[in-house]
């Protein structure tokens, strides 16, 4: 994907401009310059449809869910519950009750760790992750390790940022109870072969949790084809509101998992002696949820479903190829993460300037990129850098954004080179 | 770009590329580590304190231009000061980079005015003060790693 396009080639016909127009924030300015937003992997911007859905919820259709007998509460509950069906469709789950609403991917992983993990893991059991996980797929397992004496194993990647499958396979054993892997690395852009990983893990008797925080915005997801046991993602990276997300779990697994948070909405009856817990997904959704946010996430899923999927994928591939081609012509620039199968992320360093200084200069030109360790410090350590600059793309990104980045990097060279 | 030029003045770039008192080559009796998790910058500051005097300071680690230049300038300016003076200088320097203090620094601290440009970049104030916070921790003998975020 990355090695075919050159900066002079013309872009495919995908109409990113019409998509872009639906994002009000992309028409704003930063430091007096038109905003060039290249930080979608951290959080995507929101289309008008999502902004409207949230605003209309608060304006016309808002009450607590699942609690009132009055019409307004019923309408709100219906709009809220309808999002389960949208999420099921998005990832091709079998049943709506396999969709647990969360505050994001982080909460989804913690839910699996605290509910399934505490109930099913014990001293000596192993959880296998990879070296390219986001901190949110490292720390929850370390907490369990320190508490329950489980062992955390880490499968390494090579210098392109590709997971070394032989090493991964060697780390699997009958002690492995769970394999928890990201589908796309947020720091490197690497797409992991999660289907193959799942098959290998299942063969070893382990369950599989896929962190789809970066996967969902860029890939077509079919959890039944992947056959993963859990899949989690965040609404805000999929053009939806922050504080929203989904944990998918196979119905028979969820059915046998204990609650992990206690409160309202997750019970069928409570006395001081005994509480009967609700069935999934409600068992895992204690307390008043992010009602307008979840409804907004549903609007985002509708919005994404309305895009020409083939065109979108081709558009993002083009941006990646164009971006890599343009950036690799810049003297002193090194791209970190050069896996053949990559998505929507270009991390890089310059040999004469620190990412933080680069970020400040780019910001001054209206170019928003992420600089830092991207919540993936082990990845930084692998490449022996403290931080990288990361440009990442969404459906609304364009070659103009990359040109703006390249021009701003020229100013970095003038100032710091 | 003009305010960027002010932020990245030649003096700053010079101290970034060739930091002074870099590396732990001299005897010391105080040290502390500091890091800025936001950008991954990490410094260790070493000091030799005798009779209430900061006789020597050095630092090592890696950071951005702002944090490295600030650390380098700090070691130059605070060497030979009393501990009390060093603390007071930090307060004055902090006032300048946060913008709380509008006046330019004088009497020996005027070299630090090159860093006044960071006040336009609130996210970068932490870079400019990282080594100073770390030195303060070293002087106060607190063992905890200093974290600025
Ligand atoms: C790969 C990956 N996993 C997990 C997360 C955590 O997502 P959230 O902060 O939305 O819970 C992120 C977000 O940065 C991510 O990129």
């Amino acid at each position: 994907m990355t090695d075919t396009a050159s900066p002079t080639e013309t872009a495919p016909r995908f109409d990113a401009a019409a998509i872009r127009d639906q994002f009000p924030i992309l028409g704003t300015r930063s430091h007096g310059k038109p905003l060039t937003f290249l930080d979608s992997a951290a959080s995507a911007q929101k289309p008008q449809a999502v902004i409207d859905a949230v605003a209309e919820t608060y304006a016309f259709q808002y009450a607590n869910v699942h609690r009132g007998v009055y019409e307004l509460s019923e309408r709100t509950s219906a709009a809220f519950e309808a999002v389960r069906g949208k999420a099921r469709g998005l990832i091709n789950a079998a049943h709506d009750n396999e969709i647990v609403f969360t505050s994001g991917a982080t909460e989804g992983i913690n839910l699996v760790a605290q509910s399934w993990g505490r109930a099913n893991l014990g001293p000596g059991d192993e959880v296998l992750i990879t070296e390219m996980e986001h901190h949110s797929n490292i720390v929850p397992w370390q907490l369990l390790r320190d508490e329950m004496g489980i062992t955390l194993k880490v499968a390494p990647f090579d210098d392109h940022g590709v997971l070394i499958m032989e090493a991964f396979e060697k780390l699997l054993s009958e002690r492995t109870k769970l394999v928890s892997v990201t589908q796309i690395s947020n720091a490197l852009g690497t797409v992991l072969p999660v289907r193959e990983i799942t098959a290998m893990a299942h063969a070893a008797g382990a369950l599989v949790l896929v962190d789809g925080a970066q996967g969902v915005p860029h890939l077509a997801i079919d959890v039944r084809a992947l056959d993963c046991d859990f899949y989690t993602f965040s609404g805000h990276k999929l053009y939806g509101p922050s504080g929203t997300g989904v944990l998918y779990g196979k119905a028979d697994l969820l059915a046998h998992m204990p609650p992990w948070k206690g409160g309202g909405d997750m019970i069928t009856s409570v006395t001081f002696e005994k509480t009967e817990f609700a069935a999934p997904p409600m068992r895992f959704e204690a307390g008043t949820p992010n009602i307008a946010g979840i409804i907004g996430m549903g609007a985002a899923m509708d919005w994404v479903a309305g895009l020409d999927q083939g065109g979108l994928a081709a558009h993002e591939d083009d941006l990646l190829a164009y971006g890599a081609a343009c950036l690799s012509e810049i003297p002193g620039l090194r791209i970190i993460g050069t896996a053949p199968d990559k998505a929507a992320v270009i991390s890089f360093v310059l040999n004469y300037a620190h990412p933080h200084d680069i970020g400040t200069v780019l910001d001054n030109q209206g170019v928003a990129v992420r600089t830092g360790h991207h919540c993936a410090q082990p990845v930084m350590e692998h490449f022996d850098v403290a931080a990288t600059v990361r440009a990442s793309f969404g459906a609304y990104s364009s070659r103009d954004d990359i040109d703006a980045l390249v021009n701003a990097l020229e100013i970095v060279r003038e100032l710091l080179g | 770009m003009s305010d960027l030029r002010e932020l990245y003045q030649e003096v700053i770039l010079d101290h970034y590329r060739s930091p002074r008192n870099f590396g732990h080559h001299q005897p010391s009796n105080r040290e502390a580590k500091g890091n800025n998790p936001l950008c991954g910058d990490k410094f260790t500051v070493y000091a030799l304190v005798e009779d209430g005097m900061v006789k020597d300071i050095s630092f090592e680690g890696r950071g951005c231009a702002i944090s490295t230049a600030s650390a380098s300038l700090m070691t130059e300016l605070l060497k030979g000061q009393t501990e009390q003076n060093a603390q007071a200088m930090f307060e004055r320097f902090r006032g300048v980079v946060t913008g709380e203090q509008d006046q330019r620094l004088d009497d020996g601290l005027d070299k630090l005015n090159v860093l006044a440009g960071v006040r336009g970049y609130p996210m970068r104030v932490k870079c400019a003060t990282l080594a100073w916070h770390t030195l303060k921790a070293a002087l106060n003998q607190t063992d905890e790693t200093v974290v600025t975020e």
Side-chain angles (χ1 to χ4, degrees):
Chain A
M1 274 190 290
T2 46
D3 51 11
T4 48
S6 77
T8 50
E9 252 177 21
T10 51
R13 278 196 354 271
F14 186 77
D15 189 6
I19 289 175
R20 199 181 173 86
D21 285 346
Q22 299 178 45
F23 290 77
I25 210 166
L26 298 178
T28 63
R29 299 174 84 80
S30 176
H31 289 288
K33 313 262 175 16
L35 174 65
T36 298
F37 186 75
L38 287 169
D39 196 19
S40 297
S43 197
Q45 296 298 347
K46 319 304 171 199
Q48 192 64 49
V50 169
I51 298 168
D52 288 347
V54 173
E56 281 165 17
T57 298
Y58 285 127
F60 307 116
Q61 188 168 270
Y62 181 80
N64 210 330
V65 289
H66 309 141
R67 294 182 187 180
V69 294
Y70 50 96
E71 195 255 358
L72 184 59
S73 172
E74 272 171 18
R75 258 200 290 139
T76 311
S77 301
F80 179 84
E81 283 302 317
V83 181
R84 279 190 224 277
K86 297 177 202 281
R88 175 182 50 70
L90 178 79
I91 61 174
N92 197 32
H95 310 288
D96 282 10
N97 64 9
E98 294 178 318
I99 304 294
V100 181
F101 292 139
T102 66
S103 64
T106 301
E107 196 181 42
I109 298 167
N110 279 278
L111 195 167
V112 175
Q114 293 298 319
S115 170
W116 181 86
R118 277 160 171 273
N120 292 283
L121 297 176
D125 285 344
E126 293 178 4
V127 171
L128 175 57
I129 61 173
T130 79
E131 193 187 357
M132 66 182 105
E133 299 307 318
H134 188 276
H135 293 166
S136 62
N137 196 22
I138 303 174
V139 183
W141 309 115
Q142 290 175 328
L143 294 175
L144 268 196
R145 177 189 66 192
D146 297 346
E147 206 185 300
M148 310 185 54
I150 64 163
T151 303
L152 188 57
K153 296 268 175 170
V154 183
F157 59 77
D158 68 16
D159 290 343
H160 293 284
V162 176
L163 184 67
I164 304 169
M165 291 305 281
E166 303 81 65
F168 172 82
E169 189 161 23
K170 281 213 187 90
L171 286 165
L172 279 172
S173 75
E174 73 283 359
R175 288 183 303 277
T176 315
K177 294 293 181 298
L178 181 75
V179 171
S180 190
V181 293
T182 192
Q183 192 170 21
I184 295 180
S185 156
N186 67 307
L188 301 169
T190 309
V191 180
L192 281 80
V194 286
R195 191 174 178 161
E196 198 182 331
I197 286 172
T198 302
M200 289 163 71
H202 283 171
L207 296 188
V208 176
L209 163 60
V210 176
D211 170 3
Q214 299 293 340
V216 158
H218 303 295
L219 304 171
I221 310 301
D222 183 337
V223 290
R224 280 184 284 173
L226 292 175
D227 198 29
C228 56
D229 302 284
F230 300 103
Y231 188 97
T232 187
F233 63 94
S234 301
H236 71 97
K237 294 185 201 277
L238 189 70
Y239 315 101
S242 55
T244 64
V246 164
L247 172 72
Y248 156 84
K250 285 181 179 165
D252 53 339
L253 280 170
L254 291 180
H256 294 102
M257 281 162 52
W260 73 306
K261 282 181 180 176
D265 255 8
M266 48 80 74
I267 48 82
T268 52
S269 85
V270 176
T271 66
F272 285 112
E273 287 69 44
K274 186 171 165 51
T275 292
E276 304 269 333
F277 299 115
M282 302 295 283
R283 185 185 300 162
F284 306 106
E285 295 178 5
T288 300
N290 182 355
I291 300 167
I294 296 289
I295 292 172
M297 177 170 74
M301 290 170 176
D302 286 344
W303 183 82
V304 168
L307 300 176
D308 160 16
Q309 304 302 317
L312 175 61
H315 174 65
E316 291 189 355
D317 282 351
D318 172 69
L319 290 178
L320 190 61
Y322 181 72
C326 293
L327 289 174
S328 52
E329 281 177 14
I330 294 176
L333 187 146
R334 172 162 73 113
I335 292 179
I336 305 284
T338 47
D341 198 1
K342 248 186 94 162
V345 166
I346 305 179
S347 255
F348 63 91
V349 291
L350 290 177
N351 62 10
Y352 53 82
H354 186 284
H356 217 173
D357 296 311
I358 300 168
T360 291
V361 177
L362 297 183
D363 172 50
N364 199 269
Q365 304 303 307
V367 178
V369 291
R370 175 87 183 264
T371 59
H373 53 60
H374 319 293
C375 298
Q377 280 179 336
V379 174
M380 300 298 112
E381 259 163 50
H382 182 112
F383 289 101
D384 194 27
V385 294
T388 71
V389 182
R390 181 187 70 186
S392 58
F393 316 122
Y396 42 69
S397 303
S398 70
R399 286 187 173 209
D400 292 345
D401 294 331
I402 291 161
D403 294 340
L405 170 65
V406 169
N407 291 336
L409 284 171
E410 177 56 27
I411 295 176
V412 173
R413 197 191 51 74
E414 279 170 36
L415 280 165
L416 306 174
Chain B
M1 200 167 144
S2 59
D3 54 335
L4 278 179
R5 283 230 188 270
E6 198 190 315
L7 185 61
Y8 292 109
Q9 293 178 39
E10 217 29 73
V11 185
I12 290 184
L13 295 179
D14 176 49
H15 278 266
Y16 175 47
R17 289 176 190 135
S18 353
R20 323 295 195 262
N21 304 303
F22 191 77
H24 189 203
H25 308 301
Q26 304 293 333
S28 65
N29 53 12
R30 308 278 174 89
E31 74 176 76
K33 289 187 188 342
N35 70 66
N36 180 346
L38 197 66
C39 48
D41 289 0
K42 284 194 180 89
F43 289 128
T44 305
V45 174
Y46 305 93
L48 178 67
V49 181
E50 280 170 357
D51 310 325
M53 290 278 286
V54 183
K55 296 236 163 106
D56 199 10
I57 318 181
S58 59
F59 76 107
E60 57 189 17
R62 61 182 173 189
C64 64
I66 304 296
S67 60
T68 308
S70 182
S72 170
L73 283 160
M74 176 187 82
T75 60
E76 280 194 328
L77 290 171
L78 297 192
K79 203 184 277 192
Q81 297 290 336
T82 64
E83 277 190 79
Q84 230 178 352
N85 252 349
Q87 305 270 13
M89 285 168 146
F90 174 36
E91 287 313 317
R92 290 177 62 202
F93 170 67
R94 213 166 56 97
V96 165
V97 292
T98 56
E100 278 161 30
Q101 180 57 257
D102 222 14
Q103 272 148 20
R104 291 175 63 79
L105 292 165
D106 48 19
D107 53 284
L109 293 186
D110 45 331
K111 267 183 150 183
L112 294 174
N113 288 317
V114 294
L115 284 159
V118 302
R119 66 174 58 170
Y121 300 85
M123 301 288 285
R124 308 305 303 276
V125 173
K126 273 107 184 183
C127 306
T129 56
L130 176 60
W132 296 74
H133 279 293
T134 309
L135 175 67
K136 192 172 168 178
L139 294 181
N140 294 340
Q141 285 282 35
T142 47
D143 280 339
E144 273 175 31
T145 296
V146 176
V147 175
T148 67
E149 202 180 350

